[in-house]
Amino acid sequence: QVQLVESGGGLVQAGGSLRLSCAASGTVSSLNVMGWYRQAPEKQRELVATMTRNGITNYGDSVKGRFTISRENAKNTVYLQMNSLKPEDTAIYYCVFRRPTMNPDYWGKGTLVTVSS
């Protein structure tokens, strides 16, 4: 079992920044992808960013150029630096732990990011 704990969400004005953290614990595979998805009210969950242990990243189009994902592999922790935040970034942000050849994926409980205009 893998447990994920997110932190760093909050309320910020448009144009501001936040940094999210997600720490994985439990039976953590050395081969994994970690990252972030988000879900706004009445919308589907969408990709924000993911990152492999060797540094390969994948970003959603809506955050490209504004958000940066990073990892500390020794701590099984992934971060999301969010800059130039927009009201449309308001959502619950969920951390994901994914093993490419195994099921299931693991999800954190989410952390709320609210961006005011």
Side-chain angles (χ1 to χ4, degrees):
Q1 299 295 314
V2 175
Q3 295 80 44
L4 302 172
V5 179
E6 305 105 328
S7 63
L11 175 64
V12 65
Q13 293 185 353
S17 298
L18 285 173
R19 184 173 182 260
L20 306 182
S21 299
C22 174
S25 62
T27 308
V28 180
S29 172
S30 61
L31 179 61
N32 65 72
V33 177
M34 294 184 68
W36 300 89
Y37 285 68
R38 68 186 183 186
Q39 188 167 23
E42 307 300 326
K43 294 184 178 180
Q44 297 293 314
R45 189 172 297 186
E46 66 173 347
L47 169 71
V48 178
T50 60
M51 191 173 187
T52 67
R53 289 178 60 88
N54 64 337
I56 305 301
T57 59
N58 186 30
Y59 289 93
D61 289 341
S62 63
V63 306
K64 184 173 60 178
R66 299 187 298 121
F67 293 7
T68 302
I69 190 170
S70 60
R71 294 182 60 147
E72 292 188 60
N73 292 332
K75 296 182 178 180
N76 294 315
T77 299
V78 64
Y79 305 93
L80 184 70
Q81 179 66 45
M82 304 184 294
N83 298 326
S84 301
L85 282 162
K86 304 174 181 179
E88 52 262 44
D89 294 318
T90 296
I92 299 174
Y93 284 70
Y94 296 93
C95 181
V96 65
F97 176 94
R98 177 174 295 139
R99 298 162 295 177
T101 61
M102 288 182 283
N103 289 316
D105 293 346
Y106 293 90
W107 295 88
K109 294 181 179 179
T111 184
L112 177 63
V113 172
T114 302
V115 184
S116 62
S117 61

